[in-house]
């Protein structure tokens, strides 16, 4: 089994918020086996001299769409699956090079790409796949045109089967959930409110009944997993959480009352601020539909406020981005947008320890500790003083290690 000792690192302990100079870490295979804060580890293994640079856990992005490879939705809908797979692999490789050693795909990625990652055919982060999203008719996963004369997408019939199940009624939802779990989804994604990219649903619309959501959460629980729900409006958030949803995605319109319900149920909020900024800035140029851009502007400033509302209520706040197509390179900017309402330390906790807890992998991901995966970043500078070291496409990150192997930079 390959071994590695990292010496003279400034170890960033995200639990305590302290940086301990002169620290060492020993890696065996894909795991960390020994951590010596402020101490030296000796042995026969090859040594990497960190030369005082910051050593920290790899970042976790809990909301990506690796298979949504262009903002031009009609083009996306007609793209062959083989091309989507190749593009998704490229997007995932870029994510891990930016320091995101784990991602949760929030819908659309099929098992072919993750099988190829596991087989070592392509390089990328650890991926927790949601498979196809589950949406009601006329919901956020239903991309078909409204009927003859609907001008909102293209004249052709849009097929979105690769991205979504459209399922109505508890039995149909149950069947769709079972199918995705059978196909290897790690967790289940449902659409519980209106959204931005879909043409026919207003953003404040509440989607799915309590019974339909309960069908999804009970099926997920039967496989030892959970449901994440796209939800904007307070009513949609409360319905999802009380029906057993663990993870509320976006939550742009969260208010104090719905935040209290989230805190009572121990659910997580995964804000995704950067997608709003990027769509507002580049959407038009990339042929993103005009109706969707109107929706972006309706929630652009509410999103940041929602993070503060959640924190005030004691909700556990994770970290996500939700970038689509051409905007993926902005992934790290979410760190800076979040720093408008949180300290850099708390932003980094969201993207490591909190997200690890959300994924049910505390102690294994998002931490530098014995037994954890050796998913590590070596950074020139102190991210607690300057988050842009991690944000600007990872420009301050000299080395990314994923499972003990260098995926960006050199180990010597
Ligand atoms: Zn969404
Ligand atoms: Zn999304």
């Amino acid at each position: 089994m390959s071994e590695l000792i990292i010496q003279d690192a400034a170890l960033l302990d995200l639990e305590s918020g302290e940086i301990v100079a002169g620290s060492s870490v020993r890696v065996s295979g894909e795991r960390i086996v020994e951590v010596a804060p402020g101490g030296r580890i000796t042995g026969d293994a090859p040594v990497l001299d960190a030369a005082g640079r910051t050593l920290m856990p790899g970042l976790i992005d809990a909301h990506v769409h690796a298979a949504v490879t262009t903002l031009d939705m009609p083009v996306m809908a007609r793209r062959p699956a083989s091309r989507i797979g190749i593009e998704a692999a490229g997007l995932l490789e870029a994510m891990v090079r930016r320091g995101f050693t784990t991602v949760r795909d929030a819908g659309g990625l099929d098992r072919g790409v993750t099988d190829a990652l596991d087989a070592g055919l392509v390089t990328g982060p650890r991926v927790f796949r949601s498979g196809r999203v589950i949406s009601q008719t006329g919901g956020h996963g239903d991309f078909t045109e409204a009927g003859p004369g609907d001008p909102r997408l293209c004249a052709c019939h849009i097929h979105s089967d690769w991205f979504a199940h459209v399922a109505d009624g508890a039995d149909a939802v149950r069947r769709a959930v079972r199918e995705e779990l059978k196909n290897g989804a790690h967790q289940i994604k449902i659409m519980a409110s209106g959204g931005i990219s879909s043409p026919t649903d207003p953003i404040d619309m509440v989607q799915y009944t309590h019974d339909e959501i309960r069908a999804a959460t009970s099926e997920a629980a039967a496989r030892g997993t959970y449901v994440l729900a796209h939800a904007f409006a307070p009513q949609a958030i409360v319905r999802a959480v009380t029906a057993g949803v663990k993870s509320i995605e976006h939550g742009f319109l969260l208010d104090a009352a719905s935040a209290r319900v989230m805190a009572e149920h121990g659910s997580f909020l995964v804000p995704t601020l950067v997608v709003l900024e990027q769509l507002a800035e580049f959407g038009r140029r990339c042929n993103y539909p005009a109706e969707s851009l109107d929706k972006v502007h309706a929630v652009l400033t509410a999103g940041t406020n929602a993070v503060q509302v959640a924190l005030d209520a004691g909700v556990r706040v994770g970290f996500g981005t939700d970038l689509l197509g051409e905007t993926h390179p902005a992934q790290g900017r979410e760190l800076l947008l979040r720093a408008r309402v949180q300290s850099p330390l708390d932003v980094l906790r969201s993207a490591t320890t909190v997200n690890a807890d959300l994924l049910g992998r505390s102690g294994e991901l998002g931490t530098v500790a014995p037994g954890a995966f050796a998913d590590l970043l070596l950074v020139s500078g102190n991210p607690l003083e300057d988050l842009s070291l991690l944000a600007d496409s990872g420009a301050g990150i000299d080395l990314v290690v994923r499972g003990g192997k260098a995926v960006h930079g050199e180990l010597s």
Side-chain angles (χ1 to χ4, degrees):
M1 203 175 285
S2 68
E3 297 232 340
L4 171 71
I5 294 172
I6 303 174
Q7 273 178 358
D8 192 22
L11 181 63
L12 173 51
D13 181 338
L14 289 166
E15 259 106 307
S16 69
E18 282 169 7
I19 294 184
V20 186
S23 298
S24 309
V25 169
R26 187 158 65 89
V27 173
S28 180
E30 61 176 4
R31 304 261 179 181
I32 296 165
V33 289
E34 191 178 353
V35 178
R40 215 174 156 74
I41 296 173
T42 51
D44 296 337
V47 172
L48 170 71
D49 181 5
R53 287 173 292 178
T54 303
L55 185 69
M56 61 176 286
L59 303 170
I60 303 170
D61 186 337
H63 195 123
V64 305
H65 293 285
V68 181
T69 58
T70 176
L71 286 175
D72 191 329
M73 291 295 142
V75 168
M76 188 69 238
R78 288 194 298 264
R79 193 153 277 183
S82 52
R83 176 167 172 181
I84 295 174
I86 291 166
E87 289 177 330
L91 290 172
L92 287 167
E93 179 167 6
M95 289 180 198
V96 80
R97 286 176 182 277
R98 277 180 218 119
F100 290 90
T101 50
T102 298
V103 303
R104 184 177 64 172
D105 193 273
L109 190 66
D110 74 24
R111 69 180 308 157
V113 175
T114 47
D115 284 356
L117 272 171
D118 292 345
L121 299 175
V122 291
T123 300
R126 297 175 198 287
V127 179
F128 288 78
R129 214 168 54 79
S130 306
R132 291 190 286 170
V133 305
I134 300 168
S135 165
Q136 69 170 57
T137 294
H140 182 45
D142 184 354
F143 286 80
T144 55
E145 58 187 329
D150 182 354
R152 283 175 284 205
L153 286 171
C154 62
C156 63
H157 181 73
I158 303 284
H159 293 280
S160 54
D161 298 4
W162 66 273
F163 183 75
H165 283 273
V166 175
D168 296 293
D171 285 347
V173 169
R174 195 181 299 283
R175 186 191 165 94
V177 171
R178 287 176 177 169
E179 196 176 317
E180 289 311 310
L181 292 171
K182 175 186 163 191
N183 287 339
H186 295 90
Q187 65 283 320
I188 292 295
K189 167 80 176 294
I190 65 165
M191 299 306 201
S193 89
I196 288 172
S197 294
S198 43
T200 58
D201 55 338
I203 48 178
D204 58 357
M205 174 186 174
V206 179
Q207 298 178 2
Y208 273 140
T209 63
H210 185 91
D211 285 352
E212 288 169 316
I213 299 173
R214 186 50 88 181
T217 55
S218 61
E219 284 301 320
R223 281 252 190 179
T225 186
Y226 67 93
V227 173
L228 59 148
H230 161 106
F232 285 8
Q235 203 190 341
I237 291 166
V238 168
R239 183 179 293 181
V241 165
T242 54
V245 166
K246 179 179 180 184
S247 175
I248 294 294
E249 309 300 301
H250 322 300
F252 295 136
L253 304 174
L254 186 78
D255 63 8
S258 49
R260 261 197 312 278
V261 177
M262 286 188 69
E264 280 162 21
H265 285 77
S267 44
F268 292 77
L269 176 69
V270 178
T272 60
L273 306 179
V274 67
V275 65
L276 299 176
E277 179 205 70
Q278 292 294 304
L279 289 176
E281 204 162 322
F282 302 109
R284 200 171 305 280
R285 212 182 303 161
C286 298
N287 291 331
Y288 193 62
E291 288 74 13
S292 295
L293 284 173
D294 291 343
K295 293 180 177 181
V296 168
H297 288 287
V299 291
L300 194 52
T301 51
T304 307
N305 182 51
V307 177
Q308 188 64 59
V309 169
L311 292 170
D312 290 347
V315 174
R316 286 184 286 177
V317 180
F319 182 95
T321 55
D322 197 27
L323 290 164
L324 309 173
E326 295 81 350
T327 63
H328 271 104
Q331 188 175 24
R333 276 194 57 72
E334 182 77 19
L335 296 162
L336 302 181
L337 299 179
R338 288 286 295 276
R340 292 177 182 172
V341 283
Q342 287 176 288
S343 68
L345 175 61
D346 283 334
V347 175
L348 293 179
R349 283 173 172 156
S350 286
T352 54
T353 51
V354 179
N355 268 358
D357 198 12
L358 167 61
L359 296 173
R361 305 298 285 269
S362 282
E364 275 199 308
L365 297 174
T367 182
V368 181
F373 283 113
D375 293 356
L376 301 164
L377 309 182
L378 200 56
V379 184
S380 283
N382 181 353
L384 297 183
E385 285 167 7
D386 184 7
L387 269 181
S388 70
L389 292 166
L390 307 175
D392 186 14
S393 276
I397 303 174
D398 292 345
L399 174 70
V400 180
V401 176
R402 195 270 218 195
K405 294 201 175 85
V407 290
H408 169 70
E410 301 285 330
L411 276 182
S412 53

